[in-house]
mmCIF file of all heavy atoms in Angstrom:
data_model
loop_
_atom_site.group_PDB
_atom_site.id
_atom_site.type_symbol
_atom_site.label_atom_id
_atom_site.label_comp_id
_atom_site.label_asym_id
_atom_site.label_seq_id
_atom_site.Cartn_x
_atom_site.Cartn_y
_atom_site.Cartn_z
ATOM 1 N N ASN A 1123 77.205 66.681 142.652
ATOM 2 C CA ASN A 1123 78.204 66.112 141.742
ATOM 3 C C ASN A 1123 79.205 65.210 142.465
ATOM 4 O O ASN A 1123 79.632 64.192 141.920
ATOM 5 C CB ASN A 1123 78.935 67.241 141.001
ATOM 6 C CG ASN A 1123 77.979 68.020 140.105
ATOM 7 O OD1 ASN A 1123 76.887 67.529 139.776
ATOM 8 N ND2 ASN A 1123 78.355 69.232 139.716
ATOM 9 N N ALA A 1124 79.560 65.571 143.710
ATOM 10 C CA ALA A 1124 80.519 64.744 144.445
ATOM 11 C C ALA A 1124 79.925 63.354 144.697
ATOM 12 O O ALA A 1124 80.592 62.334 144.506
ATOM 13 C CB ALA A 1124 80.876 65.416 145.768
ATOM 14 N N ALA A 1125 78.647 63.314 145.083
ATOM 15 C CA ALA A 1125 78.002 62.018 145.335
ATOM 16 C C ALA A 1125 77.861 61.226 144.037
ATOM 17 O O ALA A 1125 78.027 59.999 144.025
ATOM 18 C CB ALA A 1125 76.630 62.231 145.980
ATOM 19 N N MET A 1126 77.587 61.918 142.925
ATOM 20 C CA MET A 1126 77.499 61.225 141.634
ATOM 21 C C MET A 1126 78.854 60.640 141.244
ATOM 22 O O MET A 1126 78.943 59.534 140.707
ATOM 23 C CB MET A 1126 77.015 62.175 140.532
ATOM 24 C CG MET A 1126 75.522 62.293 140.394
ATOM 25 S SD MET A 1126 74.652 60.715 140.139
ATOM 26 C CE MET A 1126 75.052 60.327 138.428
ATOM 27 N N ASN A 1127 79.929 61.380 141.553
ATOM 28 C CA ASN A 1127 81.265 60.879 141.201
ATOM 29 C C ASN A 1127 81.576 59.580 141.936
ATOM 30 O O ASN A 1127 82.228 58.693 141.387
ATOM 31 C CB ASN A 1127 82.330 61.937 141.499
ATOM 32 C CG ASN A 1127 82.277 63.067 140.473
ATOM 33 O OD1 ASN A 1127 81.704 62.887 139.386
ATOM 34 N ND2 ASN A 1127 82.838 64.211 140.805
ATOM 35 N N THR A 1128 81.109 59.459 143.166
ATOM 36 C CA THR A 1128 81.310 58.210 143.906
ATOM 37 C C THR A 1128 80.613 57.057 143.188
ATOM 38 O O THR A 1128 81.151 55.964 143.091
ATOM 39 C CB THR A 1128 80.727 58.362 145.338
ATOM 40 O OG1 THR A 1128 81.220 59.571 145.886
ATOM 41 C CG2 THR A 1128 81.101 57.185 146.215
ATOM 42 N N LEU A 1129 79.419 57.334 142.665
ATOM 43 C CA LEU A 1129 78.703 56.293 141.915
ATOM 44 C C LEU A 1129 79.444 55.959 140.615
ATOM 45 O O LEU A 1129 79.659 54.788 140.289
ATOM 46 C CB LEU A 1129 77.269 56.767 141.597
ATOM 47 C CG LEU A 1129 76.432 55.830 140.717
ATOM 48 C CD1 LEU A 1129 76.089 54.542 141.477
ATOM 49 C CD2 LEU A 1129 75.150 56.502 140.243
ATOM 50 N N LEU A 1130 79.872 57.009 139.909
ATOM 51 C CA LEU A 1130 80.517 56.789 138.602
ATOM 52 C C LEU A 1130 81.856 56.067 138.757
ATOM 53 O O LEU A 1130 82.279 55.332 137.866
ATOM 54 C CB LEU A 1130 80.695 58.121 137.872
ATOM 55 C CG LEU A 1130 79.379 58.835 137.527
ATOM 56 C CD1 LEU A 1130 79.654 60.177 136.847
ATOM 57 C CD2 LEU A 1130 78.502 57.969 136.626
ATOM 58 N N ALA A 1131 82.493 56.251 139.924
ATOM 59 C CA ALA A 1131 83.786 55.595 140.155
ATOM 60 C C ALA A 1131 83.643 54.073 140.172
ATOM 61 O O ALA A 1131 84.621 53.353 140.038
ATOM 62 C CB ALA A 1131 84.385 56.079 141.474
ATOM 63 N N LYS A 1132 82.411 53.586 140.322
ATOM 64 C CA LYS A 1132 82.201 52.130 140.317
ATOM 65 C C LYS A 1132 82.168 51.556 138.906
ATOM 66 O O LYS A 1132 82.066 50.345 138.742
ATOM 67 C CB LYS A 1132 80.887 51.793 141.036
ATOM 68 C CG LYS A 1132 80.889 52.151 142.515
ATOM 69 C CD LYS A 1132 79.560 51.747 143.160
ATOM 70 C CE LYS A 1132 79.553 52.078 144.641
ATOM 71 N NZ LYS A 1132 78.251 51.764 145.261
ATOM 72 N N HIS A 1133 82.222 52.411 137.911
ATOM 73 C CA HIS A 1133 82.246 51.974 136.502
ATOM 74 C C HIS A 1133 81.122 51.006 136.172
ATOM 75 O O HIS A 1133 81.348 49.917 135.649
ATOM 76 C CB HIS A 1133 83.611 51.374 136.148
ATOM 77 C CG HIS A 1133 84.733 52.344 136.348
ATOM 78 N ND1 HIS A 1133 84.890 53.461 135.560
ATOM 79 C CD2 HIS A 1133 85.714 52.391 137.273
ATOM 80 C CE1 HIS A 1133 85.933 54.149 135.983
ATOM 81 N NE2 HIS A 1133 86.442 53.526 137.026
ATOM 82 N N LEU A 1134 79.931 51.387 136.524
ATOM 83 C CA LEU A 1134 78.764 50.544 136.230
ATOM 84 C C LEU A 1134 78.318 50.806 134.794
ATOM 85 O O LEU A 1134 78.581 51.870 134.238
ATOM 86 C CB LEU A 1134 77.625 50.886 137.205
ATOM 87 C CG LEU A 1134 77.998 50.792 138.690
ATOM 88 C CD1 LEU A 1134 76.909 51.416 139.566
ATOM 89 C CD2 LEU A 1134 78.235 49.343 139.096
ATOM 90 N N SER A 1135 77.621 49.836 134.220
ATOM 91 C CA SER A 1135 77.111 50.046 132.864
ATOM 92 C C SER A 1135 75.945 51.037 132.936
ATOM 93 O O SER A 1135 75.375 51.276 134.000
ATOM 94 C CB SER A 1135 76.630 48.728 132.263
ATOM 95 O OG SER A 1135 75.419 48.339 132.878
ATOM 96 N N ILE A 1136 75.597 51.582 131.784
ATOM 97 C CA ILE A 1136 74.551 52.606 131.765
ATOM 98 C C ILE A 1136 73.209 52.028 132.232
ATOM 99 O O ILE A 1136 72.424 52.704 132.904
ATOM 100 C CB ILE A 1136 74.451 53.290 130.376
ATOM 101 C CG1 ILE A 1136 73.687 54.605 130.478
ATOM 102 C CG2 ILE A 1136 73.854 52.397 129.330
ATOM 103 C CD1 ILE A 1136 74.477 55.698 131.140
ATOM 104 N N SER A 1137 72.961 50.749 131.934
ATOM 105 C CA SER A 1137 71.662 50.212 132.369
ATOM 106 C C SER A 1137 71.650 49.983 133.876
ATOM 107 O O SER A 1137 70.595 50.063 134.512
ATOM 108 C CB SER A 1137 71.291 48.950 131.581
ATOM 109 O OG SER A 1137 72.223 47.938 131.793
ATOM 110 N N VAL A 1138 72.815 49.737 134.491
ATOM 111 C CA VAL A 1138 72.868 49.631 135.954
ATOM 112 C C VAL A 1138 72.698 51.017 136.579
ATOM 113 O O VAL A 1138 71.957 51.193 137.551
ATOM 114 C CB VAL A 1138 74.188 48.963 136.412
ATOM 115 C CG1 VAL A 1138 74.300 49.005 137.931
ATOM 116 C CG2 VAL A 1138 74.261 47.529 135.919
ATOM 117 N N ILE A 1139 73.359 52.014 135.986
ATOM 118 C CA ILE A 1139 73.192 53.383 136.498
ATOM 119 C C ILE A 1139 71.726 53.786 136.421
ATOM 120 O O ILE A 1139 71.180 54.411 137.330
ATOM 121 C CB ILE A 1139 74.087 54.372 135.710
ATOM 122 C CG1 ILE A 1139 75.559 54.089 136.039
ATOM 123 C CG2 ILE A 1139 73.736 55.820 136.038
ATOM 124 C CD1 ILE A 1139 76.549 54.929 135.250
ATOM 125 N N LYS A 1140 71.077 53.369 135.358
ATOM 126 C CA LYS A 1140 69.645 53.670 135.229
ATOM 127 C C LYS A 1140 68.860 53.031 136.382
ATOM 128 O O LYS A 1140 67.994 53.670 136.981
ATOM 129 C CB LYS A 1140 69.122 53.162 133.889
ATOM 130 C CG LYS A 1140 67.649 53.445 133.672
ATOM 131 C CD LYS A 1140 67.206 53.069 132.266
ATOM 132 C CE LYS A 1140 65.751 53.486 132.045
ATOM 133 N NZ LYS A 1140 65.357 53.357 130.646
ATOM 134 N N ASN A 1141 69.164 51.780 136.706
ATOM 135 C CA ASN A 1141 68.476 51.136 137.826
ATOM 136 C C ASN A 1141 68.717 51.878 139.132
ATOM 137 O O ASN A 1141 67.795 52.111 139.914
ATOM 138 C CB ASN A 1141 68.937 49.676 137.971
ATOM 139 C CG ASN A 1141 68.325 48.767 136.918
ATOM 140 O OD1 ASN A 1141 67.343 49.131 136.273
ATOM 141 N ND2 ASN A 1141 68.895 47.591 136.739
ATOM 142 N N VAL A 1142 69.984 52.269 139.365
ATOM 143 C CA VAL A 1142 70.318 52.964 140.615
ATOM 144 C C VAL A 1142 69.569 54.303 140.677
ATOM 145 O O VAL A 1142 68.940 54.630 141.688
ATOM 146 C CB VAL A 1142 71.843 53.186 140.736
ATOM 147 C CG1 VAL A 1142 72.166 54.082 141.924
ATOM 148 C CG2 VAL A 1142 72.567 51.844 140.857
ATOM 149 N N LEU A 1143 69.604 55.060 139.593
ATOM 150 C CA LEU A 1143 68.950 56.372 139.621
ATOM 151 C C LEU A 1143 67.426 56.238 139.707
ATOM 152 O O LEU A 1143 66.756 57.076 140.318
ATOM 153 C CB LEU A 1143 69.344 57.216 138.403
ATOM 154 C CG LEU A 1143 70.822 57.632 138.345
ATOM 155 C CD1 LEU A 1143 71.063 58.573 137.179
ATOM 156 C CD2 LEU A 1143 71.273 58.281 139.654
#
Side-chain angles (χ1 to χ4, degrees):
N1123 296 342
M1126 273 305 286
N1127 286 341
T1128 311
L1129 175 69
L1130 297 178
K1132 296 182 179 177
H1133 301 292
L1134 305 168
S1135 73
I1136 197 73
S1137 62
V1138 174
I1139 291 176
K1140 180 173 185 170
N1141 284 344
V1142 172
L1143 294 186

